[in-house]
Amino acid sequence: MTQIDTTTDSTDDKVLARAAQALKQGDLVVFPTETVYGLGADASQDVAVARIFAAKNRPNFNPLIVHVASLEIAECFGVFCDPARALAQAFWPGPLSLVVPRTDDCPASLLVSAGLDTIALRVPESHIAQALLTRSQLGIAAPSANPSGALSPTDATHIAPSIREAAAVVVDGGPCRVGLESTIVGFEGDRPVLLRPGGIAVEEIEKIVGPLVAAAHNSKAPTSPGQLLSHYAPSAKVRLNATDVRADEALLRFGKSALPEGRAMAEKNLSPTGDLVEAASHLFQYLRDLDASGARTIAVEPLPATGLGLAINDRLARAAAPRNESPS
Ligand code: TXA
Ligand code: MG
């Protein structure tokens, strides 16, 4: 992939134009925010979002923050209760992310939310990030631009070679002003919950909305991605590594499936060509579609445990795990 790395004037219009174009084409772009560098994709394109997970080499799907240019645009993606709106008005643009319910017609890929009904939104302050958002007219899904398990980059020189390779454009904006990830606040009803401490002090947030429910006491807090994601599962049972299918089941195929056509109540193929990035891009949508078929069980064909297959298998294993009301 051709890479335009600008170490000179990164606000240069040409670079931003290329970055915006790359995003629209479904490619990845590394860009600075005031907190840390992000590895961005058009939030509405399933395959582009799946590429983020592949590039970071994540063994599981963690939901991503969607960056938008304004609160007005954020409200197309998420439903803001009064305290959420008050926090947005007080701290946006800035290092605060708000986790709110997705709107019914939310334009973001389901993969952005990793199957949850909520979405994390942020209006960054960095003028380069702002320029990219305005120019592209997109919601940009972006985790920190580091390989899974490594530190978040706060300067373009920290970007790992594997991430540079995955990106079509790296926009160099020098060191990040804040240098710490955004504070993440979610809501239980309209009670604000601290999900991750970060660039805006809790005290500042509490001045606007009163005391925050502490993450440690909240079952929705992503103290680990596994804990967070154990909340979502289809209502149908999930049967893994299926090598046969019954007439009362729905079937999730992968690759050149050998199972007979037309036997299951409903069926989808994550990727007929066996492409794991394509498979990841369809995973949450197809689980929902098959769940909606009314089948009591979704039979899932085996997927390889390499590349994005690791994260897909992790997600399917969670969906197949015995259900309990309050995950520990
Ligand atoms: O400063 C930042 O927040 C940077 C810049 C690039 O914006 N981004 C960042 O993203 O730190 P990331 O992916 O490294 O961390 C995002 C966190 C994850 O821990 C994830 O679990 C949480 O946000 N998150 C995202 N969506 C969520 C949701 N719907 N519910 C709960 N947590 C969510
Ligand atoms: Mg991170």
Side-chain angles (χ1 to χ4, degrees), residues 6 37 43 85 108 168 217 228 273 278 308 326:
T6 150
Y37 276 76
R85 194 168 295 112
H217 304 298
L228 172 74
T273 61
E278 183 189 15
L308 269 189
S326 48

Side-chain angles (χ1 to χ4, degrees), residues 31-39 56 58 61-67 94-100 102 112-114 116-122 124 142-146 152 180-184 186 195-196 199 220-225 228-229:
F31 67 101
T33 79
E34 70 278 18
T35 57
V36 300
Y37 276 76
L39 177 63
K56 284 187 61 108
R58 282 200 71 97
F61 294 117
N62 215 10
L64 305 175
I65 297 170
V66 174
H67 302 71
L96 175 72
S97 298
L98 297 171
V99 175
V100 296
R102 291 170 65 106
V112 156
S113 298
L116 297 167
D117 294 324
T118 52
I119 186 163
L121 295 162
R122 170 157 111 83
S144 48
N146 49 279
S152 299
L180 187 69
E181 288 96 342
S182 60
T183 303
I184 306 182
L195 297 180
R196 180 178 75 182
K220 278 189 191 143
T223 46
S224 78
L228 172 74
L229 296 181

Side-chain angles (χ1 to χ4, degrees), residues 190-213:
D190 51 15
R191 287 179 71 209
V193 181
L194 179 66
L195 297 180
R196 180 178 75 182
I200 291 193
V202 168
E203 292 81 352
E204 293 303 307
I205 292 169
E206 292 188 330
K207 277 184 202 160
I208 310 288
V209 289
L212 294 178
V213 181

Side-chain angles (χ1 to χ4, degrees), residues 128-309:
I128 300 178
Q130 274 289 338
L132 187 57
L133 288 165
T134 318
R135 198 175 249 285
S136 65
Q137 298 269 301
L138 296 173
I140 303 178
S144 48
N146 49 279
S148 178
L151 286 177
S152 299
T154 54
D155 194 293
T157 56
H158 302 168
I159 313 284
S162 64
I163 298 285
R164 283 183 179 270
E165 221 152 88
V169 181
V170 175
V171 184
D172 183 343
C176 300
R177 182 180 67 76
V178 177
L180 187 69
E181 288 96 342
S182 60
T183 303
I184 306 182
V185 174
F187 299 88
E188 266 186 353
D190 51 15
R191 287 179 71 209
V193 181
L194 179 66
L195 297 180
R196 180 178 75 182
I200 291 193
V202 168
E203 292 81 352
E204 293 303 307
I205 292 169
E206 292 188 330
K207 277 184 202 160
I208 310 288
V209 289
L212 294 178
V213 181
H217 304 298
N218 180 272
S219 59
K220 278 189 191 143
T223 46
S224 78
Q227 190 180 354
L228 172 74
L229 296 181
S230 62
H231 284 255
Y232 170 79
S235 43
K237 277 196 186 141
V238 174
R239 184 166 71 85
L240 299 177
N241 298 318
T243 49
D244 58 4
V245 62
R246 294 191 297 263
D248 60 352
E249 291 182 319
L251 174 62
L252 191 58
R253 296 179 188 268
F254 175 76
K256 268 200 223 102
S257 168
L259 297 184
E261 301 262 336
R263 179 175 297 174
M265 279 177 71
E267 58 175 77
K268 291 276 182 188
N269 194 327
L270 286 171
S271 170
T273 61
D275 176 344
L276 287 165
V277 172
E278 183 189 15
S281 78
H282 294 314
L283 178 64
F284 292 106
Q285 185 64 59
Y286 286 3
L287 278 177
R288 280 177 194 246
D289 292 348
L290 294 180
D291 208 17
S293 75
R296 299 224 329 247
T297 306
I298 302 172
V300 182
E301 283 195 305
L303 282 104
T306 53
L308 269 189

